Amino acid sequence: MENVIIIAVVAVIVVLASYYVYKAKKSGKKCIGCPSGCSCSKDKQKSCNCGCSNDNK
């Protein structure tokens, strides 16, 4: 019984994470999970640490 509960909790977490990524990509976000939200300074850096580029902004 304990295994079923653990599997259910892990499944819910995976489904919610997948839904978050789906919604973020659908809304046009380029860097999901980037701590700075890809709003790095354009003057000093050409990209964030997460690898997204500021050239398109």
Side-chain angles (χ1 to χ4, degrees), residues 3-57:
N3 291 339
V4 173
I5 293 172
I6 292 171
I7 291 171
V9 169
V10 170
V12 167
I13 291 170
V14 168
V15 168
L16 290 175
S18 299
Y19 182 70
Y20 172 77
V21 170
Y22 170 76
K23 293 269 299 181
K25 283 293 187 180
K26 190 174 180 182
S27 70
K29 290 185 181 177
K30 293 181 181 180
C31 294
I32 300 169
C34 182
S36 63
C38 272
S39 59
C40 305
S41 173
K42 290 182 182 180
D43 300 330
K44 296 183 180 181
Q45 293 179 341
K46 294 214 178 231
S47 65
C48 299
N49 292 336
C50 64
C52 63
S53 176
N54 284 328
D55 295 335
N56 296 334
K57 291 185 178 182

